[in-house]
Amino acid sequence: MNGIEYHIIEIIYGSSNDRRKGGIEVRKVAIVRGGLAKFGVRKATYKELAQEAGNAVFDDIPNLDKKDVDSLFLGSAGPDRFAFQCYPAPLVAEQVGVQPRNLIMRTELACASGQAAMRAAYASIAAGLSDIALVMGVEKMNTPNLAEAQTTMAAVMDREWDGVNGMSAPPFFAMIMQRHMYEYGTTREQIAKVSVKNHDNSASNPFAQFQQRFTIDDVIKSVEISKPIRLLDCSGITDGAAGIVMTTEEKAKEFTDTPVYIEGLGQCNMGSLVSNLPSLTTWESLKVAFRNALDMAGKGIMDMSFAEVHDCFTISEIVIYEDSGMCEKGQGGKHIEDGNPYVGGKLPVNTHGGLLGTGHPLGATSIAQTVEVIEQFRGEVPEERYVGGEWALTHNLSGNANVHSVLVMRRGG
Amino acid sequence: MAKIELPYLLDFCTLQTEDFTRIHTFFDNLKEGRLTTTKCMKCGEILWQPRTVCPHCNADEMEWIDLPQEGKLFAFTEVIYGAPLGMEQDAPFSIGLVELENQPMSVLARIDDAHYEDLEVGQEMKLKIITLEDGRVWFRWVHKK
Ligand SMILES: [Zn+2]
């Protein structure tokens, strides 16, 4: 907003899909299977959550020998603060019993730390640096003092110039909600429908923090957090962990009859400081990330069977409908009112319950979205939220919506 | 040196003297009632927040310019729950993004003496400079009238 020129055109044409057009040979990357530790306020430590998710992953891939895992990518946003633990990657490797010998790293991209780990694994496998990678996301956010977690979240913003003003995730997205209602006439009831829909979906998800249904009235009368945002407009402060195994197309066939291929990747960052963002209500970097990921896959947004997107707050999902091209700008409220993002609608969004329903353990969030994609493709979700199909995407935003990350996935086998 | 009550790594307000930051002039000026920032002496870009190197042309020579202390409210919220350590006792408090008068720039700050219901897009706001107990300074917005 500060008259900064963002190089929107330049970024689009310098996109990741040029690599394909240029014919550079890379290996095709597949996701084998995944597993979760239950999300919620857990009576378990950071390391114990990692063990649970590791246990679930290796249980699901019985013929994978842990010795053959050559790389570990760990998405974890803030263990340094939340769990008073720096340098968590070797710690998690020891907990789950792998000895990475090709690549080991922890990736940090706030709310998209898990997708950052997947993208690093993709790059490493595609380039031939890794063959079999364990990709995990672990976050322990709940401590006896909630203000400590809030302090860490506020430090995701530019601490000296935004955080210092009390700016954090809820107030930031509250300003977006305030502006969206002002600019487009979006109603409080329309926005609340996102929470109702996603909690309806998470009600049948055993790994979700919230297996409970709510009404529009419940949402718009829930406790005020940062006006106009209320408690049921917010995703949870969540402990959780998730893991997947990623490998080459060839190797994946040894472990599963339904590999999931990563066919498109798009990511874009514009700005950092709140006052320097291109806009509050139009997310330019989201448009670039979606376009690049979908172009790389040769698909359009409405070709997806379903989409798991970053509903950290109800208003986020409304803006995502619009800027991803699911509907016209300003029509996000009407889009959900018309039934489009529900299971059975034009393009179901957040079939697993989203972040609103399942919780948001930052580093684990994106991996859990991916587990939903795998299980949808395999037909392993309850009937009431089954979509299936062949194409899906996952999306994460991070920080003050200045970075957007998108993965387009295809069912193999 | 500033007195710190919270451990340094839990204190959102940065250290402001020349021992700790190369933009200490911002805080020195703020103490004198001036809201200032840096302007690149090579390409002329006005930068927020103040910088030591221009992100546009990479020059490292800056001049300090005064910014308007009035503007119009663009977006706002009121924090009820979930304020970080050191700010819990202040809640509820409002935060707003204000578009400066005659300057294509927005500045985020807390808004004093106003609840959410008192705020509207386009309202005239003016800067208020506050001094912390330990002598550090910061700024907030208040209604102009
Ligand atoms: Zn310059």
Side-chain angles (χ1 to χ4, degrees), chain A residues 147-169:
Chain A
E148 288 191 32
Q150 303 290 4
T151 304
T152 302
M153 290 304 290
V156 167
M157 301 279 164
D158 184 315
R159 191 260 300 165
E160 297 173 347
W161 295 83
D162 285 337
V164 68
N165 299 312
M167 186 42 69
S168 179

Side-chain angles (χ1 to χ4, degrees), chain A residues 247-260:
Chain A
T247 184
T248 60
E249 180 178 21
E250 293 70 31
K251 277 203 168 20
K253 289 170 185 161
E254 297 173 22
F255 304 116
T256 178
D257 54 3
T258 317
V260 174

Side-chain angles (χ1 to χ4, degrees), chain B residues 40-45 54-59 62:
Chain B
C40 175
M41 291 175 76
K42 189 177 169 198
C43 76
E45 283 285 339
C54 176
H56 303 281
C57 75
N58 209 39
M62 299 285 153

